[in-house]
Amino acid sequence: MTYLAVFESDTWRLEREVLARALASDWPQVQLKLASPGSPGSEVRDVEWSYQAELGELEGYAHSDGQGIYLEGPIELVADFVVWYRGLVPPEEQVIFCDDSYSFDGVVSTNAVREDIIAITE
């Protein structure tokens, strides 16, 4: 299943360089790949990463508009990344967590923890 953490803003976006630096700094074991501008798929997979943990592997990517990430992996890892991502987005921006078929969705609060994100899926 593909999970999304997204926001809509006319005034703010998470720049790819900021996201890439934060991933490298906060998740040191992450395998990171930046798309070449104009390459096939670069709009949807502007920044890609994979992360291996005891719980399994998480794969993530960010859209080039800087307003969302897509995640695939164990829900516990997904939830950890969503909480982390929420910390990169200004508090005044509303972050929504959902799946690719919108079978669930919920607002990610600025003080969310793993359990809060998992609860959105239930």
Side-chain angles (χ1 to χ4, degrees), residues 4-50:
L4 294 81
V6 296
F7 65 93
E8 290 185 35
S9 176
D10 294 329
T11 58
W12 194 83
R13 61 177 277 150
L14 181 58
E15 299 293 335
R16 72 185 270 174
E17 294 79 15
V18 173
L19 176 59
R21 277 195 310 271
L23 280 163
S25 172
D26 298 341
W27 304 89
Q29 290 82 20
V30 78
Q31 300 295 313
L32 187 62
K33 177 183 167 190
L34 299 177
S36 299
S39 65
S42 64
E43 182 177 299
V44 177
R45 293 181 177 263
D46 191 38
V47 178
E48 291 184 74
W49 64 93
S50 63

Side-chain angles (χ1 to χ4, degrees), residues 36-101:
S36 299
S39 65
S42 64
E43 182 177 299
V44 177
R45 293 181 177 263
D46 191 38
V47 178
E48 291 184 74
W49 64 93
S50 63
Y51 181 77
Q52 188 67 43
E54 288 182 26
L55 294 169
E57 182 177 10
L58 179 129
E59 293 184 3
Y61 51 97
H63 195 277
S64 64
D65 70 4
Q67 295 187 358
I69 59 172
Y70 303 80
L71 302 164
E72 295 178 8
I75 187 59
E76 296 85 1
L77 280 178
V78 167
D80 290 345
F81 266 80
V82 170
V83 168
W84 168 81
Y85 179 73
R86 181 63 184 109
L88 299 177
V89 178
E92 62 272 10
E93 301 296 342
Q94 186 178 63
V95 175
I96 304 295
F97 177 61
C98 59
D99 68 348
D100 57 350
S101 64

